[in-house]
Amino acid sequence: MTRVLVLASLLLAALAVSARAQATHDAQMSAPPVPQKQGDLGTPTEEMLRRAEIKRDEESHEEMVERSDEAAQIGEEILDSFNKHKALTADDYKKLERLEKLARKIRGSAGGSDKVEVTEDAPSKIGAAVERLAELSGLLKKSVAKTSRLVISAAVIKNSSDVIELIKRIRSIKQP
């Protein structure tokens, strides 16, 4: 008989705990959400996700700055080589490919697309085109350096597109 009483009291205690847990859960579900302060990032999970997104954006922008630095350097190297040899070498054509790839990545990171307007004022002589390429790659570097990670810059997109189009033009010009 004592066993029955102990079992009955354990069963009653378990039911009471279960009922209390259900009532607490229902109260939490029906409670209005707590208003959050201005500037608060939300729940800890939302805050962690937002901070990770900010970090990823900062790293992406830093990569874009590094790419633009490399692009400007390659533009100068091609100009120096052209001035020295009075023609583009095989190594210069490899650098042109690398420069085009960098410009495409920069344009994509800046929010640009592959739809490009063909520039009509592209130089028709190889020397002038190489000089213009060095100038444009320098402008690209400056425009990327001035742009924050939070901005989509039309100047960055235009400059990178101009570099790409000029590289195509340089490839089509016959060398002396």
Side-chain angles (χ1 to χ4, degrees):
M1 183 72 164
T2 37
R3 280 185 168 179
V4 173
L5 283 175
V6 170
L7 277 172
S9 36
L10 282 175
L11 183 61
L12 269 174
L15 287 173
V17 168
S18 175
R20 175 147 173 96
Q22 182 66 34
T24 303
H25 181 270
D26 289 345
Q28 287 175 347
M29 295 303 286
S30 64
V34 178
Q36 297 186 6
K37 298 180 285 184
Q38 188 82 15
D40 191 7
L41 295 176
T43 66
T45 304
E46 291 170 341
E47 180 178 351
M48 189 169 48
L49 290 173
R50 180 69 181 132
R51 289 183 193 273
E53 182 181 342
I54 290 169
K55 185 176 180 180
R56 188 189 74 235
D57 288 347
E58 288 171 349
E59 289 171 353
S60 175
H61 184 260
E62 183 60 34
E63 286 176 7
M64 191 163 67
V65 169
E66 290 171 3
R67 286 182 183 127
S68 69
D69 290 343
E70 185 181 351
Q73 181 182 355
I74 291 172
E76 286 299 318
E77 288 173 1
I78 293 171
L79 178 61
D80 292 343
S81 174
F82 180 81
N83 288 336
K84 183 178 177 182
H85 299 103
K86 299 299 180 208
L88 292 177
T89 64
D91 190 41
D92 293 335
Y93 281 103
K94 287 180 184 176
K95 288 179 182 180
L96 281 173
E97 285 181 35
R98 176 68 182 151
L99 181 55
E100 182 178 10
K101 193 178 283 188
L102 289 168
R104 286 184 188 282
K105 286 181 180 179
I106 291 168
R107 183 177 64 188
S109 295
S113 67
D114 285 337
K115 288 185 178 179
V116 180
E117 298 175 13
V118 177
T119 54
E120 299 297 326
D121 62 342
S124 59
K125 303 244 186 222
I126 190 78
V130 170
E131 287 177 11
R132 179 74 178 137
L133 181 65
E135 180 185 331
L136 280 175
S137 60
L139 284 173
L140 178 60
K141 176 183 176 180
K142 288 178 185 175
S143 61
V144 168
K146 286 193 293 187
T147 305
S148 94
R149 68 177 175 80
L150 303 173
V151 176
I152 295 176
S153 172
V156 170
I157 294 169
K158 182 185 181 329
N159 289 337
S160 58
S161 294
D162 288 349
V163 166
I164 293 166
E165 289 303 308
L166 188 55
I167 289 171
K168 290 177 184 176
R169 176 75 178 132
I170 289 172
R171 285 188 185 129
S172 70
I173 297 173
K174 293 189 181 198
Q175 290 199 57

